[in-house]
Amino acid sequence: MAASSGGTADSGGTTDTGGTSDADGDANTGGFADSGGTASWESWSPWDPAAVRSRVAELARRDPGCTRFGADQHRYRLAPPLPAAELHAFESLHGIELPGPYRDFLLRVANGGAGPQHGLFPLTGPSAYPGPPDDWAAEDVREHDRRPGALATPFRLTEAWRPRPGERFDPDALVAGTLAVAEAGCGEFVRLVVTGEQRGRVWFADLEVWPSLTPGPDFGAWYAAWLTDAPGRG
């Protein structure tokens, strides 16, 4: 998706993320200092909605052409927080309780939008951004994750996985207990473990092109690292 005319995410130069800005147009970063792509989740736990939205507004100001990977899709826009009733209904329907950092993010900050890769999927409702060209596949994956019993089944892996040559595998069984929270493109998804020993951790799952499942950090650290990695840093 091409950037809007004039090279800005919105006609005013930044997306509306609920952040504040100084008189000269510089966004208030809310205390998020760039740290070369690393961040301590504990340093701003629990989520400070105003600080997160201010930081996203700052990222949008620094990347008016939305050239950072995935920014042409989410365009630094955050959805409104998820109503508590909708979250509780989702958890009740699937027999789970979502991991704390992710749950709090949905309730306090946003139900999807700006974030790592092509942005965060909403927990409920359709994606708030057009998505990559194969976005139809992402919607199918999101729907499939929500089939009866899938999220309540414990995720069984504890270390990186790749199939042996000629090995056949069941993709559904491999990702049971996980929820796709973002798409990286080319069939790769970022999955949050919601049930099992790895609960709260994100895993990077490619079960189409080069089948593999690779563990990552917990959700809070993963999102915080994106917030503190300034566009153009490389």
Side-chain angles (χ1 to χ4, degrees):
M1 180 176 176
S4 58
S5 60
T8 59
D10 275 336
S11 58
T14 60
T15 56
D16 178 11
T17 60
T20 59
S21 56
D22 298 327
D24 62 0
D26 287 336
N28 176 2
T29 62
F32 288 92
D34 295 335
S35 57
T38 61
S40 170
W41 155 240
E42 291 79 6
S43 65
W44 46 77
S45 175
W47 297 108
D48 179 339
V52 173
R53 287 180 175 271
S54 292
R55 176 58 180 172
V56 173
E58 169 68 4
L59 294 176
R61 187 189 68 80
R62 296 188 185 192
D63 185 25
C66 292
T67 59
R68 187 181 186 183
F69 180 81
D72 60 334
Q73 304 302 327
H74 59 70
R75 305 191 72 79
Y76 298 102
R77 295 188 176 100
L78 287 168
L82 182 67
E86 289 189 31
L87 184 141
H88 296 153
F90 181 93
E91 292 180 326
S92 178
L93 177 63
H94 295 285
I96 61 169
E97 181 175 334
L98 295 170
Y102 178 62
R103 194 175 196 271
D104 290 345
F105 185 92
L106 294 171
L107 290 172
R108 294 170 55 82
V109 181
N111 181 28
Q117 306 300 338
H118 291 290
L120 298 180
F121 294 144
L123 182 70
T124 62
S127 295
Y129 58 94
D134 59 347
D135 188 56
W136 61 269
E139 292 302 317
D140 286 350
V141 167
R142 292 182 63 223
E143 182 178 354
H144 195 62
D145 281 350
R146 290 154 173 79
R147 67 193 185 280
L151 295 178
T153 301
F155 180 62
R156 67 190 194 190
L157 296 180
T158 57
E159 57 186 31
W161 169 88
R162 284 184 181 275
R164 295 182 297 274
E167 178 184 358
R168 302 182 66 179
F169 60 90
D170 180 355
D172 286 352
L174 281 171
V175 298
T178 72
L179 181 70
V181 294
E183 182 178 11
C186 298
E188 182 177 350
F189 290 85
V190 181
R191 291 185 161 276
L192 175 67
V193 180
V194 298
T195 307
E197 182 180 337
Q198 297 284 299
R199 182 175 179 271
R201 195 172 188 179
V202 297
W203 281 62
F204 305 99
D206 180 353
L207 297 178
E208 295 186 17
V209 182
W210 302 102
S212 64
L213 282 159
T214 306
D218 67 46
F219 175 84
W222 174 68
Y223 193 85
W226 178 81
L227 284 174
T228 54
D229 187 11
R233 191 180 295 278

